[in-house]
Amino acid sequence: MSKSTNHDAEDSREAHASDSYLQSLGEQVEQGLALGSITYERLDFFRALRLLQAGDIEGATHGFRRASRTSDAPFQALSMLSRAECERVLGREATAIRDWTRVAKSDPAPPALRSMAWMSIAALAERREDAKLAAQADAGLKELTQLASANEHLSNPD
């Protein structure tokens, strides 16, 4: 019984630490907005993030959609990636796959975000036991890895 109590206490501490972190992050965003270090173009993204932190997934989905239309790079891709995750949580997997695919195939999107999109597609494909989708994600990840290797070789020729 004490084992469960210890585990519950640890979960409670972790949840409190997470809440504290989110509160701190929210305060930093508010400060950034007040100081002008977060530009108006990025405001929709941070508003959507706050909705997500508050548990309003539907509101966050709409906010990330708006942010993907108004934000500059890399926030445009990050907004699409976030919206796709919200769509997945809401059970709209086809929409999530469409959005992840847009990010994954977007040359202006940072490679890390493109990789995250492919990995999200791969995880969903595995859960759905969709071999075709899994193969598409694997091919996309492999292509990104090859591009990264080629870019590294070009920037550091030995």
Side-chain angles (χ1 to χ4, degrees):
M1 186 73 150
S2 65
K3 221 179 204 184
S4 175
T5 304
N6 288 340
H7 183 66
D8 291 345
E10 287 176 21
D11 287 348
S12 177
R13 281 192 300 268
E14 288 175 13
H16 180 68
S18 177
D19 289 345
S20 296
Y21 173 75
L22 292 177
Q23 180 65 30
S24 173
L25 182 61
E27 290 169 4
Q28 289 174 5
V29 168
E30 292 299 326
Q31 278 184 323
L33 290 170
L35 296 172
S37 60
I38 295 176
T39 63
Y40 179 75
E41 294 82 20
R42 296 177 179 179
L43 184 59
D44 285 331
F45 174 80
F46 286 105
R47 284 182 177 155
L49 187 58
R50 300 264 341 246
L51 289 170
L52 184 59
Q53 290 171 343
D56 182 359
I57 297 174
E58 192 68 49
T61 302
H62 293 295
F64 287 129
R65 179 178 295 117
R66 195 172 34 258
S68 70
R69 286 186 246 137
T70 61
S71 298
D72 52 355
F75 283 86
Q76 180 183 29
L78 187 55
S79 296
M80 289 179 71
L81 195 67
S82 300
R83 184 177 101 195
E85 184 58 26
C86 288
E87 295 286 2
R88 184 199 61 79
V89 169
L90 292 169
R92 300 187 290 239
E93 293 178 349
T95 303
I97 291 168
R98 183 193 69 217
D99 289 345
W100 283 325
T101 302
R102 283 183 185 161
V103 173
K105 292 183 177 182
S106 174
D107 285 335
L113 294 180
R114 293 178 68 193
S115 292
M116 287 176 63
W118 282 125
M119 287 186 276
S120 294
I121 292 169
L124 185 59
E126 182 178 322
R127 189 179 66 72
R128 294 170 72 179
E129 298 180 1
D130 185 334
K132 182 179 176 184
L133 188 59
Q136 180 184 0
D138 287 343
L141 283 167
K142 183 177 180 181
E143 180 182 336
L144 275 177
T145 302
Q146 290 171 342
L147 284 172
S149 294
N151 288 340
E152 179 66 27
H153 180 71
L154 289 174
S155 64
N156 294 321
D158 289 325

